[in-house]
Amino acid sequence: MKKFTVKDLAVIAVMTAAICVVAPFSIPIPVSPVPISLATFIVYLAVFFLGQKKAFVSVLIYLLLGLVGLPVFTGFSGGPAKLLGPTGGYAIGYLFIAWISGWLVERYAGKRIVCFLGLILGSIAMYALGTVWLGFQMHLSVPAALMAGVIPYLPGDFTKMIIATIVGPQVQKQLRALGNNSSSNG
C-alpha cells in the first residue's frame, strides 16, 4: 500500500478545511429537516482534486472533527448527537461520494460524461443512506423520507455536479502542472 506523502497530507488538509469552512453555512428549508449546504459541492471537487482514497480520508477527517464537537456541521453544529441524528446519514454518505465517485473519476479522467455519472452514482449512495437514516430516525415512510431528504435537493445537487464536472478537471490539470513544476525545481 502506498503511503501518503507530506504533499498528499497537505492537500488532504486543505480540502478538509474547505469542507469544514463551507459546511456550517447552510440554508434551512421549511419542507425538510435537512438544510441546503455547499458541502456536497466541495466533496465533488475533492474527488477531482484528490482522487478516491485521499478524498475519502479528507471526508473522514471532516466527520471525525465534527464528531468530537467542532462546529463543522450544518448550522455550526458538531458532536455525536448531530452526526447520529436525523440528518447524519447524509453527512456520512459523503464517504460514499468520495469512494464511488472517486473510483470512477480516477479511472476515467478526462471523460466528463463518465465522471458526471460517477458523481451521480456516489450521490445516489449518499441519498440512499441518508434517506434510510432519516426515515428511521423520524419514523417516516420511504416516500415521506424521499420528499424530506432527496426530492428538494435534486436540482441543486445536479447543478453542483455539472459545475464540479466542468471546473474539477480544469483545476486538476492546473494542480498537476503546478506539482510537476515544483518537483522539477526541487
Side-chain angles (χ1 to χ4, degrees):
M1 179 175 158
K2 181 184 163 204
K3 297 192 186 224
F4 291 140
T5 65
V6 172
K7 180 180 165 187
D8 292 337
L9 295 175
V11 294
I12 289 168
V14 168
M15 287 311 296
T16 302
I19 300 169
C20 290
V21 167
V22 169
F25 295 97
S26 56
I27 303 167
I29 62 171
V31 297
S32 174
V34 183
I36 294 172
S37 168
L38 286 177
T40 49
F41 179 63
I42 302 300
V43 175
Y44 296 148
L45 290 177
V47 164
F48 284 99
F49 300 170
L50 303 178
Q52 180 189 35
K53 292 176 184 168
K54 289 181 266 184
F56 185 88
V57 170
S58 178
V59 171
L60 182 61
I61 293 168
Y62 159 73
L63 293 172
L64 291 172
L65 290 171
L67 182 65
V68 299
L70 292 177
V72 296
F73 296 143
T74 57
F76 294 91
S77 60
K82 180 69 173 187
L83 192 59
L84 300 174
T87 62
Y90 296 103
I92 294 168
Y94 295 164
L95 291 169
F96 290 113
I97 294 172
W99 195 257
I100 295 167
S101 302
W103 187 84
L104 285 160
V105 165
E106 276 186 8
R107 274 141 194 85
Y108 298 97
K111 298 186 186 304
R112 289 184 190 223
I113 299 295
V114 177
C115 292
F116 181 72
L117 292 173
L119 295 180
I120 290 173
L121 290 173
S123 297
I124 288 170
M126 175 207 54
Y127 277 136
L129 175 64
T131 301
V132 168
W133 194 296
L134 178 69
F136 176 76
Q137 292 278 336
M138 298 189 70
H139 309 287
L140 299 173
S141 66
V142 172
L146 287 170
M147 287 305 296
V150 176
I151 304 302
Y153 306 93
L154 291 176
D157 282 350
F158 190 73
T159 302
K160 293 175 208 173
M161 287 182 238
I162 291 170
I163 294 169
T165 303
I166 294 167
V167 172
Q170 297 301 321
V171 174
Q172 185 182 42
K173 281 184 200 174
Q174 295 299 320
L175 291 173
R176 283 192 182 135
L178 182 64
N180 289 339
N181 289 339
S182 67
S183 61
S184 64
N185 294 333

